[in-house]
Amino acid sequence: MFDRTFHIHTIGCQMNVYDADLMANALMAMGYRPVADPEAADLAIVNTCAIREKAEQKVYSLLGRLAGIKRRRPEMRLAVGGCVAQLAGRRIQRRAPYVDLVFGTRAIERLPGLVRRLEAGEGPLSDVGDGDGVMEIDGPRHAVLQPTVSRFVTIMQGCDNFCTYCVVPYARGREMSRDPGRIVAEVEVLVAAGAREVTLLGQNVNSYGNKEGLCSFAELLTRVAAVEGLARIRFTTSHPKDLSPALIDAFARLDKLCDHIHLPVQSGSDRILARMNRRYGRQTYLDLVARLRAVRPQIAITSDIIVGFPGETEEDFNQTLDLVQAVGFDGLFAFHYSDRPGTPASRLTPKVPMAVKRRRLDALNELQNAAALARHQALVGRTVEVLVEGASKRSDPGRPGDDDRVQWTGRTSSNKVVNFSLPSSADAPSPEAGQLHRVRIEAAFAHSLLGVWAPDPAGLKGEACHAA
Ligand code: 5AD
Ligand code: SF4
């Protein structure tokens, strides 16, 4: 048995993280083992993202660095997967001739065969073809790149919405949903391997199963919630136009469903929403927020916003600021618009100058950070339930309020990151990843909370509680 190594560098969304674990599991079944350092890899894979120009630029700069390794170790094989691979195909090898394999988003199931051909000395290779229907990859689901306690499960692939700015329908193809029985079986396998939380993934989970006549997304959630040993369920992403009354009702019915929904609004201006082909207006969005809060008052709502979409005026942008103020988002991913080749918006005019996009992005982030900080400060002094993920990375040790005691990290049901320390008593507990425990919040920041492990009142441990 040979001993070969692989390294995967993933750029982009959670779906890419899930795909990277599929690739890793397939390679491990072939006798490969993962290494953290590409210098030590026999096979290096770059798992790419095409959503914005910046992500695509990152791919080529990373490939340049990997080319340096390959010059020193010509036997290393270099592969490019993901959305840029799907869209650019062999053009990648024309620009970066040292790339041995390009494989698209629907070619992951064929990766073992492609790697065997590389091993046999073939190449350069390219596979950006479709599969037969929805991609199903059987076999183990070791957590190679994700934390064991919190796992992603892709429930559908592709997107049929064609928002005018978005490259996803071209990079990931038509929408296809996986069979609910296979999804539940996968969740059971993950829970048996130590998962306590799953996040169900799709470009638009609210339309799950519609096309194929499978069960509805709300029914799927009910089936996943019945998996014993699973404590928490999350999902992403929801398109507002498809958020059904049944899904809102699921927040009332299902305790395991976390206090969080990611509901991208993209703009607060009806005129821009129409130009984006979003098929809802600002009032519809505000009504959805009110209905969600009516059934789950503590629900955290996060969103995506694009500023500087072609034709966006100062008045349109003010409508966005106004909506952000009105909703009170718990978190916001704000981007300046970038043209993606082949999308309808790339042909729309007038373009908004970069300096204006930057100014609008700064104004939006400033408003949001102040609002998020205020929402988080309201939690100081309260006790929240946290799913312990592991030791804290302490990426920013100089941060005010942070101190040497910070040792652990986890998330609330509302998806807020909580870094916490243990009490300084002699009989301090020893947290374990996967534990649900109470943490008293001592300080708040725009993107995280800081706390201390609180005593565990009898009977509360392990139960879902909606404290945040
Ligand atoms: N430019 C800027 N942001 C974009 N997004 C998608 N396409 C573009 C683009 N061309 C953002 C949207 C989406 C998120 C994942 O990325 O806000 O919800
Ligand atoms: Fe892109 Fe719109 Fe589909 Fe989301 S719903 S992936 S923004 S086309």
Side-chain angles (χ1 to χ4, degrees), residues 79-279:
V80 180
C83 290
V84 176
Q86 184 68 45
L87 291 167
R90 283 207 181 273
R91 270 185 285 136
I92 293 180
Q93 283 149 324
R94 283 204 283 278
R95 184 164 165 185
Y98 45 84
V99 170
D100 300 289
L101 167 65
V102 172
F103 64 107
T105 50
R106 304 247 162 148
I108 299 172
E109 55 192 333
R110 296 186 292 280
L111 184 62
L114 292 163
V115 170
R116 287 275 179 250
R117 286 171 61 192
L118 288 183
E119 284 171 354
E122 277 187 65
L125 303 175
S126 164
D127 180 346
V128 292
D130 280 342
D132 301 326
V134 70
M135 188 167 65
E136 280 297 347
I137 297 177
D138 293 321
R141 290 283 190 272
H142 302 295
V144 183
L145 304 155
Q146 309 174 50
T148 307
V149 298
S150 179
R151 301 287 298 267
F152 298 132
V153 177
T154 290
I155 62 165
M156 57 207 295
Q157 296 146 13
C159 183
D160 287 349
N161 285 309
F162 292 95
C163 301
T164 53
Y165 51 79
C166 187
V167 81
V168 167
Y170 313 96
R172 293 218 170 234
R174 294 290 58 72
E175 183 181 299
M176 284 187 248
S177 296
R178 292 179 65 200
D179 177 73
R182 295 189 80 130
I183 294 167
V184 171
E186 182 167 333
V187 172
E188 283 168 347
V189 166
L190 299 179
V191 169
R196 302 297 316 277
E197 172 179 281
V198 291
T199 304
L200 306 181
L201 299 179
Q203 302 299 342
N204 176 19
V205 292
N206 298 347
S207 63
Y208 171 82
N210 289 354
K211 228 166 132 175
E212 294 84 356
L214 302 169
C215 69
S216 71
F217 182 54
E219 282 158 9
L220 178 69
L221 285 173
T222 307
R223 288 181 62 173
V224 171
V227 173
E228 233 170 279
L230 182 68
R232 289 177 167 186
I233 305 169
R234 304 184 184 280
F235 59 85
T236 198
T237 289
S238 290
H239 194 306
K241 79 174 166 57
D242 297 312
L243 204 160
S244 66
L247 180 58
I248 294 177
D249 183 56
F251 277 103
R253 283 188 298 114
L254 301 174
D255 269 355
K256 289 185 184 179
L257 201 51
C258 284
D259 291 340
H260 175 221
I261 186 163
H262 184 62
L263 195 61
V265 65
Q266 310 297 1
S267 170
S269 154
D270 282 338
R271 208 177 64 84
I272 296 298
L273 286 170
R275 281 166 74 88
M276 288 176 163
N277 189 32
R278 291 292 287 177
R279 288 175 277 170

Side-chain angles (χ1 to χ4, degrees), residues 355-392:
V356 176
K357 291 198 273 196
R358 289 222 175 92
R359 176 171 54 70
R360 289 182 186 167
L361 193 60
D362 287 347
L364 180 59
N365 282 329
E366 204 176 308
L367 175 71
Q368 172 56 27
N369 286 345
L373 184 59
R375 290 178 82 80
H376 288 176
Q377 270 163 350
L379 293 172
V380 173
R382 290 183 53 188
T383 301
V384 298
E385 190 186 57
V386 165
L387 176 64
V388 180
E389 282 176 15
S392 166

Side-chain angles (χ1 to χ4, degrees), residues 51-52 165-166 264 266 304-306 335-338 340:
I51 195 88
R52 286 171 295 275
Y165 51 79
C166 187
Q266 310 297 1
D304 294 345
I305 285 182
I306 299 174
F335 312 100
H336 63 67
Y337 168 80
S338 77
R340 305 314 293 131

Side-chain angles (χ1 to χ4, degrees), residues 16 18 71 85 120 156 174 327 332 359 370 402 413 419 452:
N16 265 11
Y18 177 85
R71 270 195 295 277
M156 57 207 295
R174 294 290 58 72
V327 173
L332 191 62
R359 176 171 54 70
D402 206 347
S413 171
N419 294 307
V452 72

